[in-house]
Amino acid sequence: GQQVMQIPQYQHVQEGEDFTTYCNSSTTLSNIQWYKQRPGGHPVFLIQLVKSGEVKKQKRLTFQFGEAKKNSSLHITATQTTDVGTYFCAGPTSGGYQKVTFGTGTKLQVIP
Amino acid sequence: DSGVTQTPKHLITATGQRVTLRCSPRSGDLSVYWYQQSLDQGLQFLIHYYNGEERAKGNILERFSAQQFPDLHSELNLSSLELGDSALYFCASSANRDPYGYTFGSGTRLTVV
């Protein structure tokens, strides 16, 4: 079945450093979604990318969808302690939207 | 408050027992999804309902079942519980069958002792 892997699994950064997480799917995705889960919290939807090569920005966060629509990345510029959490990418299974597979997640720790 | 309500927030039960987790989706959302998250693990898709009908199944055990009622709330039933079923169970809802982002509830933490 479809697999969605993220690297790295964990990342510790000093506050102010940049951070990037990469998402790779075993199959082509019609779209990719990103979520953030704070410690002890629930996943919160951040953004959806649909077009090949699409880049979207939300303040210090930059999201990119690969040309082949099999990979994506999330880049955070100048991390802050409020960025702490686990970042998940998610994509629908091939052939339908009824099931979205979440990636393995990247847990970000920001050291003040 | 995300608009998705899950009850109870915490549940402690013994092995072999049966529990029911409840989810009320965000107003207007017809789709309900159930996910399981074990400690420090990812989100494992269990099942999706749309307007009362089952639409997709993931790695849901035969001991688990779910349904969505006419008022769109959903229940996840877990029976013959085992220690390994201890996890966070999230419900999420979306507006239609083509998700444009899920809205998650705060989850039910199930502990099986």
Side-chain angles (χ1 to χ4, degrees):
Chain A
Q2 180 193 34
Q3 291 187 343
V4 182
M5 304 297 293
Q6 284 182 251
I7 55 171
Q9 188 176 2
Y10 300 96
Q11 184 81 56
H12 290 209
V13 298
Q14 288 288 143
E15 188 172 17
E17 290 182 342
D18 292 356
F19 159 77
T20 304
T21 173
Y22 300 91
C23 172
N24 294 287
S25 171
S26 58
T27 59
T28 301
L29 300 170
S30 55
N31 67 71
I32 191 88
Q33 301 171 17
W34 284 92
Y35 293 78
K36 176 185 178 181
Q37 184 176 20
R38 293 181 188 273
H42 58 273
V44 174
F45 174 74
L46 296 176
I47 206 162
Q48 175 173 278
L49 305 172
V50 178
K51 299 177 184 176
S52 169
E54 187 172 12
V55 178
K56 285 189 176 180
K57 292 189 176 184
Q58 287 181 351
K59 296 183 181 178
R60 295 178 295 104
L61 277 60
T62 302
F63 304 85
Q64 188 165 6
F65 201 8
E67 294 290 340
K69 301 184 79 173
K70 294 183 72 174
N71 57 73
S72 181
S73 65
L74 158 59
H75 179 82
I76 302 178
T77 303
T79 54
Q80 300 175 0
T81 54
T82 53
D83 295 326
V84 165
T86 301
Y87 292 86
F88 292 98
C89 62
T93 54
S94 54
Y97 287 82
Q98 289 86 348
K99 172 184 168 183
V100 167
T101 299
F102 277 74
T104 48
T106 295
K107 191 170 185 177
L108 173 64
Q109 184 62 261
V110 179
I111 305 162
Chain B
D1 182 11
S2 67
V4 177
T5 304
Q6 287 189 249
T7 56
K9 291 194 184 304
H10 302 276
L11 199 49
I12 301 175
T13 190
T15 53
Q17 294 298 304
R18 171 189 169 95
V19 297
T20 297
L21 313 184
R22 183 187 168 101
C23 169
S24 293
R26 196 177 51 168
S27 178
D29 286 355
L30 301 181
S31 277
V32 170
Y33 309 82
W34 286 97
Y35 282 83
Q36 180 193 55
Q37 186 175 44
S38 300
L39 188 63
D40 283 340
Q41 297 295 309
L43 292 150
Q44 300 299 317
F45 171 73
L46 296 178
I47 200 163
H48 168 213
Y49 277 86
Y50 174 78
N51 202 19
E53 294 185 10
E54 182 185 303
R55 287 297 180 178
K57 256 185 176 179
N59 298 322
I60 187 168
L61 300 171
E62 287 190 10
R63 301 183 285 108
F64 295 1
S65 65
Q67 54 184 326
Q68 185 179 29
F69 295 86
D71 67 353
L72 301 178
H73 91 271
S74 178
E75 292 181 357
L76 179 66
N77 300 295
L78 315 176
S79 61
S80 302
L81 285 167
E82 302 175 359
L83 296 178
D85 298 327
S86 296
L88 257 175
Y89 291 84
F90 285 109
C91 163
S93 72
S94 70
N96 52 39
R97 280 177 291 179
D98 298 343
Y100 191 84
Y102 293 169
T103 300
F104 279 81
S106 56
T108 293
R109 181 172 294 281
L110 173 67
T111 303
V112 182
V113 297

